[in-house]
Amino acid sequence: MINKFFMPEIKEEKNMFNPNELVLERVRSVEEYDPATSELLGRYTQIEEPSLKTSADAQEVTDAMGSTVATFYKAQKGNFSFNNSFFSLDLAASQYGTEKAVSSDENKIIMPVSEVITIGADHTAILKYVPVGTVGAEVKYVKVINENNTFGDTYEVAAAAADGKFTIDAATKTITLPDGVTGKVFVNYERETVRAAQVTKRSDNTPKIKTLLIHAIFHEICNPNVIYAGVIRCPRAQIDPSSTEVTLSPEGKHPASYILQRDYCDEGGVLFDIIVSED
């Protein structure tokens, strides 16, 4: 007779998800958050050539003969970089350590304008926008463009049109030149707009520390139809301001590079987590 009280306990095996080798299809987005408030500050979705690196400073311990006894690694840090397919104003603001300004009826943005305008038969040139600035001198100078596309005479604003002088009526966007001036005129001025955005780079601004979430799509190797969601979480990331370059051409990309460092007050010293979920 078997004593049931001494039978070994049989535990039911749990169905664990324990992935190893996966196919990384792509990084679908990079999100920036305020570490203190968790507020979303920026999101970039056209990610190319993402790269995650780590590094450390090696300190060798040697004996009297100079042979290495041990190597210790300190100041471990990481780097995450990518190219955004398109120029991003939000990414530029993050890189320049500022915030993107968006205009409105209450907060208009002042925008420079340069125009080449054909002088009319009545010796006037009509601006495209209403100029702003010192009343009666919203446009200070204009320059005539000759038929061979070279600059001609320069005219200065005045109370009345005369030799070398012109007048401006900002309300009607009208510049009046002296009699006999024909052809085209180059005009530079400023205007207000309620439909614009502005990013300003200042010499004393540095990028703020953010929390990054890097969202990725993974596939099962043996069955690519099986898709897994992945996130790389970087608690403390700061865009590297030492070299920021944006190629100003249609084929150019918008690169970004983040320095990943541990939180000095965090005893865990986490640089980043790589999380892959089955559900």
Side-chain angles (χ1 to χ4, degrees):
M1 181 178 180
I2 300 176
N3 189 337
K4 63 179 180 179
F5 295 105
F6 293 93
M7 292 182 64
E9 181 180 359
I10 301 176
K11 296 183 178 180
E12 182 179 353
E13 183 179 356
K14 294 183 179 179
N15 184 19
M16 298 179 61
F17 176 67
N18 185 15
N20 179 20
E21 294 180 331
L22 300 169
V23 176
L24 174 57
E25 178 187 339
R26 63 186 175 91
V27 170
R28 61 184 180 87
S29 66
V30 175
E31 298 167 355
E32 294 179 337
Y33 291 87
D34 185 319
T37 65
S38 298
E39 177 188 358
L40 178 65
L41 301 176
R43 185 171 185 265
Y44 319 112
T45 61
Q46 303 298 316
I47 309 301
E48 298 182 23
E49 301 177 351
S51 175
L52 183 64
K53 302 177 182 178
T54 59
S55 63
D57 296 335
Q59 183 179 28
E60 292 187 348
V61 178
T62 60
D63 62 12
M65 300 299 293
S67 299
T68 300
V69 178
T71 303
F72 300 103
Y73 294 93
K74 300 180 178 180
Q76 296 194 47
K77 59 185 179 181
N79 176 272
F80 172 68
S81 61
F82 68 93
N83 286 329
N84 203 62
S85 300
F86 308 121
F87 176 74
S88 168
L89 284 171
D90 289 356
L91 182 55
S94 182
Q95 289 174 313
Y96 301 151
T98 186
E99 295 182 1
K100 180 177 67 176
V102 179
S103 64
S104 64
D105 291 334
E106 294 76 25
N107 297 289
K108 298 176 182 178
I109 287 177
I110 304 298
M111 185 173 183
V113 180
S114 294
E115 290 188 64
V116 175
I117 307 171
T118 300
I119 301 170
D122 56 352
H123 314 296
T124 62
I126 308 301
L127 304 176
K128 184 175 182 179
Y129 305 100
V130 175
V132 296
T134 303
V135 177
E138 292 85 355
V139 177
K140 293 180 172 60
Y141 297 94
V142 299
K143 191 176 287 286
V144 171
I145 298 179
N146 298 322
E147 291 183 359
N148 60 358
N149 206 33
T150 60
F151 284 129
D153 294 334
T154 298
Y155 292 82
E156 185 178 3
V157 69
D163 187 23
K165 307 292 184 179
F166 72 92
T167 61
I168 181 168
D169 184 340
T172 61
K173 304 180 289 185
T174 303
I175 288 174
T176 303
L177 293 150
D179 293 348
V181 180
T182 60
K184 295 181 179 180
V185 66
F186 177 87
V187 186
N188 173 259
Y189 60 98
E190 292 184 330
R191 69 179 179 98
E192 289 182 332
T193 174
V194 298
R195 297 186 59 81
Q198 177 177 315
V199 173
T200 301
K201 168 60 179 172
R202 302 184 186 278
S203 59
D204 57 347
N205 282 0
T206 56
K208 296 181 180 179
I209 293 173
K210 312 285 182 64
T211 294
L212 288 187
L213 293 183
I214 306 163
H215 294 273
I217 299 174
F218 294 89
H219 293 260
E220 178 69 51
I221 291 179
C222 297
N223 185 2
N225 292 328
V226 178
I227 301 174
Y228 303 133
V231 180
I232 301 173
R233 178 174 54 200
C234 309
R236 185 182 177 90
Q238 184 179 29
I239 285 185
D240 185 357
S242 61
S243 179
T244 300
E245 180 180 359
V246 178
T247 302
L248 300 178
S249 63
E251 66 274 8
K253 308 297 181 181
H254 193 156
S257 178
Y258 296 81
I259 299 172
L260 312 179
Q261 296 178 322
R262 58 159 290 186
D263 186 344
Y264 187 78
C265 298
D266 178 18
E267 295 182 359
V270 175
L271 289 179
F272 55 83
D273 301 305
I274 302 175
I275 307 168
V276 180
S277 174
E278 184 182 24
D279 51 14

